[in-house]
Amino acid sequence: MLAIDEHLFEIDEAIDEVAKAFLALDDVQAYLEIKKIFLADAALQESISEFQDLKQSYEEVKEYAVFRPEVKEICRQLLQKKRELDLNRTVSLLRQNEVAVQTILAELTQEISSVISPTIFVDTGLPLAPHKSHHQNCSKGEKRDV
């Protein structure tokens, strides 16, 4: 059972301060701004919708590609639309800003976890992030009673 005391209120206040500081960061503000532009761009949203429709069409027929020659054309259109979206400046900026924010969140998470214990493993999800080894006392397949 959770005991509510002054320490819990201090932790809650600290969390609020960290969240406010995080939202005030330049990278986070840049991400929020480009996300607004991304969502407000009607042509881009229509293009994304077309891509999703093509992807759905391809998913429905890809198993029959050997028997249906039009599947190759759907695949070509899908790849062309994906390339068009990937080369869109707004999409590119959004992705770059997402990675910047994810990096900040990963660093923050690692810093918080290392204060608690240096052996805590934090999977940042970043492809080039250094990886800590998992806890030495637990090997694969070994069960521990907690």
Side-chain angles (χ1 to χ4, degrees):
M1 185 167 169
L2 182 64
I4 299 177
D5 60 4
E6 286 299 314
H7 294 296
L8 187 61
F9 290 120
E10 290 173 7
I11 291 170
D12 191 47
E13 288 174 16
I15 290 170
D16 288 342
E17 289 176 25
V18 169
K20 285 178 188 174
F22 174 76
L23 290 173
L25 293 173
D26 291 339
D27 286 339
V28 175
Q29 290 298 314
Y31 166 74
L32 293 173
E33 186 61 35
I34 195 67
K35 185 177 177 185
K36 280 184 202 173
I37 294 168
F38 173 82
L39 293 173
D41 188 338
L44 178 58
Q45 294 304 316
E46 179 64 30
S47 188
I48 291 170
S49 179
E50 290 171 8
F51 171 76
Q52 290 171 336
D53 291 344
L54 272 172
K55 186 174 180 184
Q56 180 65 33
S57 296
Y58 178 71
E59 289 296 324
E60 291 172 359
V61 296
K62 72 178 181 181
E63 296 172 8
Y64 308 106
V66 175
F67 307 108
R68 298 179 65 185
E70 69 271 12
V71 174
K72 190 173 186 178
E73 177 61 24
I74 294 172
C75 181
R76 188 188 65 72
Q77 291 173 357
L78 179 66
L79 293 174
Q80 184 178 12
K81 183 58 86 171
K82 176 153 177 31
R83 180 172 171 81
E84 175 187 319
L85 288 172
D86 287 343
L87 294 176
N88 182 288
R89 179 159 173 71
T90 304
V91 172
S92 177
L93 287 172
L94 180 67
R95 287 182 179 162
Q96 289 172 3
N97 282 285
E98 283 175 340
V99 170
V101 170
Q102 184 180 5
T103 301
I104 294 167
L105 285 169
E107 291 169 357
L108 180 62
T109 305
Q110 287 177 330
E111 192 171 325
I112 291 170
S113 70
S114 68
V115 168
I116 297 167
S117 172
T119 60
I120 294 175
F121 175 75
V122 176
D123 185 4
T124 62
L126 297 171
L128 301 176
H131 297 283
K132 292 181 183 178
S133 61
H134 291 278
H135 199 280
Q136 288 79 16
N137 293 338
C138 294
S139 62
K140 278 189 171 179
E142 181 182 318
K143 293 184 179 178
R144 290 180 43 186
D145 293 328
V146 180

